[in-house]
Amino acid sequence: MFKLNNNYLKLPGSYLFSTIGKKVNAYSVANPDKKIIRLGIGDVTQPLAPAIIQALHGAVDEMGRAETFRGYAPDLGYEFLRNAIADNDYKARGCDISADEIFVSDGAKCDSGNIQEIFSLDNRIAVCDPVYPVYVDSNVMAGRTGTYDANTETWSDVIYMPCTAANNFAPELPKETPDLIYLCFPNNPTGATVTKAQLQEWVDYANKVGAVIIYDAAYEAYISETDVPHSIYECEGARACAIELRSFSKNAGFTGVRLGFTVVPKELKCGDVALHGLWARRHGTKYNGAPYIVQRAGEAVYSEEGKTQLKKQVAYYMNNASYIYNGLKEAGFTVSGGVNAPYIWLQTPKGMTSWEFFDYLLENVNVVGTPGSGFGPSGEGYFRLTAFGSYENTVEAVDRIKGVRL
């Protein structure tokens, strides 16, 4: 008889955002007259920029003519997109990354879950706490995390790096030595960042202990402060220890279009084996490439028109973030984030748990956020709101929350 991968059975409950969706849908069915404002999941709401729409239309037209039709994409992605990425995201910032070190995919979420496949199950992982759930859950599925303690909501073989108000929600170097280190800056969910000097410490540490940093830079487009790095490759020595994940979802609104990429420098090795070749083998075996029309849309992100239009779109969301931050702070909430990231991280009031506050907001003011405990044990007592809604809904949601009498 067939057998299951029992590691899946170790996962506690369902995926965080699936649980939220079920709760909200159940409430909507029971209360069809209520207007629910969703500031929970980090999904964009503004339409695709005109330059991107134009590129999509042009690529669709190409697919309708025999002489310009495209089939399977190259394993790493089309050269026109990889060259645009290398020139604009890396060379323009002084980062030594070449086009053939860039692997185009259908999103950073998939890559962040799949990248662990090229590493041995013996590796210890270190994660920020709180953290984007995919990092831990994908390692649970692989069988790398040990046993789960329901009381502490931690895994025995995972090294947790608490990110709390005491350390400005930025992790400190771990006391135990990890093999794989997951870092996400600007951070999801807290919105925190680190300076270039702080990130350099992590690069130096990884090179010293022989660890690999898996660096999620999905929100780099929202950075406003000058001393916050947009890429880990701005740090000396990062090519020898870091893999970087990027997404078009947040900077260009591709959540429903799907496009991302992963950078694996050729200098990153385990002994004599280059990780670039391993990821290329995995990529070519299990993935057939992002659609041609989507990659043409990605290229348009780097056009002059695209850059101008997307800068305005990012500013729109960050204006929402500022409104949420200032409004809740005026109302007496303890808040952070919202400066270099489209997330507001607030402390739950009156000692409420994260899920108690979630239920309270849903039932009393019909606003949806994300319980901090869903991101890890150090997230308990906190709550995440996103700035990805419309401005009108954002204003209404903040006004509703400010009117709460707890």
Side-chain angles (χ1 to χ4, degrees):
M1 182 175 178
F2 68 87
K3 297 181 180 179
L4 300 175
N5 178 351
N6 287 326
N7 293 312
Y8 278 72
L9 305 181
K10 297 178 182 178
L11 290 164
S14 61
Y15 182 55
L16 171 63
F17 297 105
S18 297
T19 301
I20 291 172
K22 291 175 183 176
K23 277 179 167 280
V24 175
N25 289 339
Y27 183 84
S28 297
V29 170
N31 302 273
D33 58 322
K34 302 292 186 181
K35 176 188 175 183
I36 297 175
I37 299 178
R38 301 171 187 253
L39 300 181
I41 191 169
D43 195 2
V44 295
T45 55
Q46 295 300 295
L48 294 173
I52 295 169
I53 292 296
Q54 183 177 358
L56 283 168
H57 280 299
V60 168
D61 289 340
E62 287 184 58
M63 295 296 280
R65 297 190 296 268
E67 61 272 18
T68 52
F69 173 80
R70 307 287 184 114
Y72 290 124
D75 284 352
L76 273 66
Y78 285 101
E79 286 191 16
F80 61 76
L81 177 57
R82 290 186 288 117
N83 286 330
I85 292 169
D87 290 343
N88 290 275
D89 287 332
Y90 295 104
K91 292 177 183 177
R93 296 191 180 280
C95 302
D96 181 21
I97 296 296
S98 60
D100 63 356
E101 293 175 315
I102 296 166
F103 296 79
V104 176
S105 71
D106 59 357
K109 179 180 180 179
C110 296
D111 286 351
S112 66
N114 293 331
I115 195 67
Q116 53 79 27
E117 288 188 21
I118 66 174
F119 296 99
S120 167
L121 293 182
D122 297 335
N123 287 309
R124 291 283 305 276
I125 70 166
V127 296
C128 297
D129 174 30
V131 71
Y132 183 46
V134 172
Y135 307 153
V136 174
D137 287 358
S138 58
N139 278 282
V140 174
M141 294 171 180
R144 193 177 284 113
T145 56
T147 58
Y148 182 69
D149 186 332
N151 293 322
T152 61
E153 298 183 328
T154 59
W155 294 90
S156 62
D157 293 345
V158 173
I159 299 171
Y160 291 89
M161 303 182 293
C163 300
T164 65
N167 58 12
N168 294 318
F169 303 103
E172 299 170 359
L173 296 177
K175 294 180 174 62
E176 299 179 79
T177 303
D179 301 297
L180 305 177
I181 304 168
Y182 287 81
L183 296 178
C184 174
F185 293 110
N187 185 260
N188 175 18
T190 67
T193 55
V194 292
T195 64
K196 183 177 179 180
Q198 288 175 306
L199 187 56
Q200 184 67 59
E201 289 182 12
W202 281 98
V203 170
D204 293 342
Y205 171 78
N207 279 319
K208 178 182 177 181
V209 302
V212 173
I213 296 174
I214 299 173
Y215 192 76
D216 188 343
Y219 298 93
E220 64 81 25
Y222 293 86
I223 294 172
S224 63
E225 296 179 318
T226 56
D227 196 31
V228 177
H230 289 253
S231 168
I232 195 168
Y233 301 117
E234 295 178 41
C235 297
E236 185 177 352
R239 282 183 55 85
C241 70
I243 294 171
E244 184 164 286
L245 311 174
R246 290 284 191 104
S247 170
F248 285 78
S249 289
K250 315 303 181 181
N251 67 326
F254 278 35
T255 54
V257 178
R258 307 308 306 150
L259 190 65
F261 62 90
T262 291
V263 179
V264 185
K266 294 178 182 177
E267 291 176 23
L268 181 52
K269 296 182 178 181
C270 179
D272 295 329
V273 179
L275 270 61
H276 181 277
L278 292 184
W279 185 240
R281 186 68 171 89
R282 192 264 173 208
H283 208 66
T285 300
K286 293 191 174 185
Y287 186 63
N288 269 338
Y292 171 72
I293 60 174
V294 174
Q295 294 197 48
R296 279 298 184 193
E299 180 188 32
V301 168
Y302 300 103
S303 67
E304 290 307 313
E305 296 84 358
K307 289 178 182 178
T308 299
Q309 293 161 7
L310 293 177
K311 187 176 181 180
K312 292 179 181 178
Q313 199 167 88
V314 167
Y316 177 93
Y317 291 130
M318 290 308 292
N319 183 54
N320 288 351
S322 178
Y323 191 90
I324 297 171
Y325 180 94
N326 291 322
L328 296 185
K329 190 172 184 179
E330 291 171 4
F333 287 89
T334 301
V335 294
S336 59
V339 176
N340 297 295
Y343 293 123
I344 306 301
W345 190 241
L346 63 136
Q347 191 170 342
T348 56
K350 305 294 184 180
M352 299 175 75
T353 68
S354 299
W355 280 106
E356 286 173 347
F357 191 57
F358 173 90
D359 291 334
Y360 185 90
L361 289 185
L362 176 61
E363 295 168 6
N364 290 275
V365 296
N366 308 140
V367 173
V368 177
T370 308
S373 61
F375 298 100
S378 291
E380 182 54 87
Y382 286 87
F383 202 74
R384 191 193 76 173
L385 292 174
T386 85
F388 286 123
S390 68
Y391 178 73
E392 294 74 18
N393 280 346
T394 298
V395 170
E396 184 175 350
V398 172
D399 289 346
R400 290 184 190 182
I401 296 172
K402 288 170 69 174
V404 165
R405 294 292 181 265
L406 293 171

